[in-house]
Amino acid sequence: DAGITQSPRYKITETGRQVTLMCHQTWSHSYMFWYRQDLGHGLRLIYYSAAADITDKGEVPDGYVVSRSKTENFPLTLESATRSQTSVYFCASRQDREAFFGQGTRLTVV
Amino acid sequence: AQKVTQAQTEISVVEKEDVTLDCVYETRDTTYYLFWYKQPPSGELVFLIRRNSFDEQNEISGRYSWNFQKSTSSFNFTITASQVVDSAVYFCALSESGYSTLTFGKGTMLLVSP
C-alpha cells in the first residue's frame, strides 16, 4: 500500500535506554520530517531531511539522532531516553506543497 | 521567523451550531502556504486544506469554509451546522516559500455535543 508508515505504534521503554522509531514512505518524496506532539505545545519539529544523507535540526532536536541512508526511510533514535521524551511522534513526508503524516508512535518512557 | 497562533484552546458547541476556529500567522515571506489539519480522537492527522499566499479566495467544501485575509494575517476555519463527528483537535500550519517544514499552531480542541 502506498503511504507513510511508522513502527512501532506503541512503545514503552525505560529511562536511559536507546530506542529507534521507524518511518517508511512509498512515494520517494524528497522531504521527510519528525514531529513530537505534546499537550499545550501542538506539534514541534525535531529533525527534517531534504534528501538522502541530508538532515537538519528543527525546533527541539536535543536528545535525538536521525539518519537517512535511503530516500524512503527516516529513523529517529533516542540515544538515552528520558521521561521528558514521553510523547506522540509523527513522521511526515512532503513533495511540493502537500505533507502526509504517518499514524504516529506513542512512546512512554518510564 | 514564522509563527502560528491558535488562541482558542478549546471550544464546546451543541450540534448544529456554527463554529469558527481562529488562526493568526506571522511570516516575513511574501510567498507562503497555510494548512488546516484535523486530528480526530483516533489520533491520525487528516489534511483538510492548503492555501497559498497569492490566493485570497475563500473556499467552501461542504460544511467547511475557510476565510483567508492577508490584511489581518488570518486563516480562519468555519464549520457550519456542526456534527458530533467534527469533534477533534484542529491544527493550523504555515510553510514559508523555500522551506518545506511546517510550523504548527498549538491546536484547538473542538467538542460537539449532541
Side-chain angles (χ1 to χ4, degrees):
Chain A
D1 289 339
I4 182 164
T5 56
Q6 295 182 231
S7 61
R9 292 292 310 279
Y10 304 91
K11 177 75 176 178
I12 299 174
T13 192
E14 295 178 340
T15 302
R17 289 202 181 252
Q18 183 180 83
V19 60
T20 296
L21 310 184
M22 304 301 293
C23 178
H24 174 79
Q25 54 126 339
T26 60
W27 296 297
S28 298
H29 287 169
S30 300
Y31 280 87
M32 295 188 75
F33 314 87
W34 275 105
Y35 288 87
R36 59 177 290 173
Q37 181 180 10
D38 304 288
L39 197 63
H41 292 279
L43 282 88
R44 292 179 293 175
L45 182 66
I46 305 171
Y47 268 96
Y48 66 102
S49 168
D53 298 321
I54 301 175
T55 61
D56 208 346
K57 296 178 180 179
E59 181 185 352
V60 288
D62 293 344
Y64 303 96
V65 174
V66 294
S67 62
R68 196 168 175 204
S69 57
K70 293 183 178 181
T71 300
E72 60 266 30
N73 296 324
F74 190 39
L76 176 73
T77 298
L78 288 66
E79 292 189 300
S80 179
T82 65
R83 289 202 178 100
S84 65
Q85 293 177 309
T86 292
S87 186
V88 179
Y89 291 85
F90 285 96
C91 178
S93 71
R94 186 174 182 188
Q95 188 77 12
D96 296 327
R97 304 174 186 100
E98 190 92 28
F100 300 88
F101 285 82
Q103 325 93 298
T105 294
R106 184 174 294 274
L107 176 68
T108 302
V109 183
V110 297
Chain B
Q2 52 187 355
K3 184 179 178 181
V4 176
T5 302
Q6 294 180 256
Q8 303 150 308
T9 304
E10 189 173 323
I11 301 175
S12 292
V13 299
V14 176
E15 212 171 14
K16 297 184 183 177
E17 284 186 29
D18 298 347
V19 58
T20 295
L21 309 182
D22 297 333
C23 174
V24 174
Y25 62 92
E26 295 177 28
T27 177
R28 293 179 182 172
D29 270 15
T30 55
T31 302
Y32 51 89
Y33 300 91
L34 295 162
F35 303 77
W36 275 96
Y37 284 85
K38 174 182 180 180
Q39 186 178 44
S42 52
E44 73 273 22
L45 285 161
V46 178
F47 167 81
L48 294 178
I49 191 171
R50 179 193 68 243
R51 173 67 73 223
N52 75 54
S53 53
F54 295 108
D55 184 1
E56 284 196 75
Q57 266 193 320
N58 292 331
E59 176 141 349
I60 298 175
S61 176
R63 296 184 296 106
Y64 294 172
S65 62
W66 291 269
N67 185 331
F68 176 31
Q69 291 195 331
K70 288 178 75 170
S71 60
T72 56
S73 297
S74 64
F75 187 43
N76 296 336
F77 173 32
T78 297
I79 301 175
T80 302
S82 60
Q83 299 176 2
V84 172
V85 293
D86 296 326
S87 295
V89 180
Y90 291 86
F91 290 98
C92 182
L94 166 69
S95 176
E96 292 177 335
S97 173
Y99 298 90
S100 277
T101 62
L102 272 68
T103 297
F104 284 83
K106 294 184 179 181
T108 297
M109 179 178 289
L110 174 65
L111 178 62
V112 182
S113 305

